[in-house]
Every structure is written in C-alpha cells, then in structure tokens.
Amino acid sequence: MKDTGQNTAFVEFKSVQKSYDGVSLVVKDLNLAIKKGEFLTMLGPSGSGKTTCLMMLAGFETATNGEILLDGRPINQVPPHKRGIGMVFQNYALFPHMTVGENLAFPLEVRGMGKSEREEKINRALDMVQMGDFSHRRPAQLSGGQQQRIALARALVFDPAVVLMDEPLGALDKQLREHMQYEIKHLHNSLGISVVYVTHDQGEALTMSDRIAVFDDGRIQQLASPQELYERPQNSFVAGFIGENNRIMGTLVSVKGDHARVKLQTGEVITAAAVNVTTPGQQTMVSVRPERATILTNGDQDDLQTLDAEVIEVVYMGDLFRTVLKVAGNENFVVKTRNTTGQNLLTPGQKVKIGWVASDARALDP
Ligand code: ADP
C-alpha cells in the first residue's frame, strides 16, 4: 500500500514484522505513517495483528524486524514509560485501592512532577471528561462508563502526544458506547492529539476515524478515509468486512478503462467498475451495496443496469424495508429501501426487476 503521509509522519512503522514463535509472522511487513493530530483506526477481525501493532508502538512488545519512529526518532530501544504515549484498554485497568485523584496522580508521580502542578493537571483532565466532582471516589463506586472516562483522563493527564486505545468501549452497552464514540472524537478534535485506535467494530471505526487501516492476516488490506473505504473497497476482503455487500458471481469478459464486463452464471452480461480484475475468463465477484439497488416493479429503467429478480422475503424495520430477493443465482440478495410511505407493496414470489447505476457495482477478484 502506498504511503500517503510520508512527509508529515508523526508515528511511523517501517517494514515492521512480528513473530512470537520465531516461525510464523503475525505482523507481515507493516508500513504505516500516521500524521500528527490524526485519528487512525486499526480495524480487522480477531487475530489479524492489530493489538500486536499497538503493543509494539507502546513498547510492551518488541518488533522482530523493522523500525518504529515517533516524531522522527527511532523508539525500538526506548522503554514504554519514556515514550510519552498514553494508553486506554477495554478493562479500564484503574487501580481499585486508589481514589480517582490518586489514579490520575500516578502517571505524574512516575514522571517526578510536583504536587501543585499535579493537582492542576488532574483537575484539568477530570474536567475534560466531565468528571470534575469525582476525584475522591474509588473505581468501584463508579459506573462502567464513568470508569472508562477516568481511564481516558488518566491517559491524557500527562499531555501525551499520542494516545493508544485498544477496544476501549468494548465492555460498554450499545447506547453508552455510541455516546462515548462521539465524546472521544470531540476530545480528539479539541486537543489535537494523535490517536491510534484498535477495534473490530466497523461502525465504530467509520464514526470516529480520519483514516482506517483494515487489517487481515497480519497485513493492511486498505488504508483510507471512512468514505473512501466504504465507497471504493479495493479487494473482496474489504468489500465483505466494511458494511453489507451483495455478491453475484460470474466470469470476466473484458476490461476497458474503469469498466469491466462480467458474464453472470445465468448468462447476462453486465457492466461494473473494474477494481482488481484484469484477465478475461477469470472468476469475478460483482458486489453491490443493499442501499444502492432499487426494486423496479414496472420493467426496465434506461439509466440503470437491471436484472430479473424474485422477491423472497420483506422485513419491516421501521426506517427501512429489507427485501431479500433471488437475483442471478444469489438467493440472498438484499435491497434496503427507505420507508417513505409506511407501506410495503411487495409480496414473496413476486417477479420484479432490480437495478443500480452500473458504476455502483464493483468487479472484484473473489
Ligand atoms: P488482534 O488484535 O487483531 O485480535 P493480535 O495482535 O492480538 O490480533 O494477535 C495476532 C496473532 O498473534 C494471533 O494469532 C494471536 O494468537 C497471536 N498472539 C498475540 N499475542 C501473543 C502472545 N503474547 N504470544 C503468542 N502469540 C500471540
């Protein structure tokens, strides 16, 4: 993957590899430049190497090969507490026998800071997370969300240039998690710090990040803004991992510029955006987002690529209808239609057409 932030890199992984057993690489040749003030998320399934990358950056794991730089300086040999990096984990890791104030004082004492300066910084950090009145409580006297705010304040209290967060909201319920996503995002915007965030939750990554590095199998599969990732996934893994995508299988007929012609298993030939397919005859997956397809009940529509379809099921979901159809051999083709009338006019077994703008379909190497 081409590096886009080379000139302004604040955190940089250069050809970094990691093996725990000396045999298999769980991080394979990682090259990643993170800009100052950027919110970068490492997103991927469990076991794809995200936490290992974060731990190497924090200094709790050593890289087997390659170099990690912070503000231009190699840090491979620098111990964790001298890297100036704040950390927040899923399970808070607050000291249970200490008050909130003492928890926050700890990283400052470690750095040899005097009492009056400590108090000023603690008060400021607690105010940042709207917990100014809780200094004398113990962690057990706080809710999960409050504990996570304190963990955040503790990571910020010594003014780190970079804060690392590993699934920090994983233990919270859905509503609180979504609320905290916005709080962390706003805090990031107002403080101008760099954040490296690890999650397996794509919705969280899309909501919070400036850029997302999608990991699979120890490699970055795509590094891009949330919009770019969602709109233009570069391979079938990213297309399947970010959002929902319908797949129709076929073989490549030809590629001309950005356009691919694909012959489907049912014989129709359709046009789609050519992503990473090149060789006529190769197996090709056409992917279409559920919200980009339209159900047509009155025949073809000239400006759309259309195919015959049969309605299998319609589910009323309040804000939208989720219709499952049989399309070109796929019996689980989903179309999401905004509920503007309160009425579903489709019935199972009904023959319809579905259509989409040709460039909204992407031809990928499966
Ligand atoms: P993720 O954060 O994406 O879930 P990890 O970085 O935790 O992935 O793990 C990547 C791979 O490395 C996994 O196969 C995991 O089992 C392995 N692994 C992680 N930590 C260790 C460790 N301390 N010792 C040995 N193997 C590990």
Side-chain angles (χ1 to χ4, degrees), residues 20 26 45-52:
Y20 287 104
V26 299
S46 177
S48 57
K50 311 177 297 289
T51 295
T52 299

Side-chain angles (χ1 to χ4, degrees), residues 18-21 24-27 42-55 61 166-167 198-200 215 217-218:
K18 175 68 181 177
S19 174
Y20 287 104
D21 58 8
S24 61
L25 292 173
V26 299
V27 175
M42 296 176 171
L43 170 70
S46 177
S48 57
K50 311 177 297 289
T51 295
T52 299
C53 291
L54 210 66
M55 289 297 154
E61 289 292 350
D166 193 350
E167 303 269 2
V198 163
T199 183
H200 65 272
F215 276 69
D217 196 22

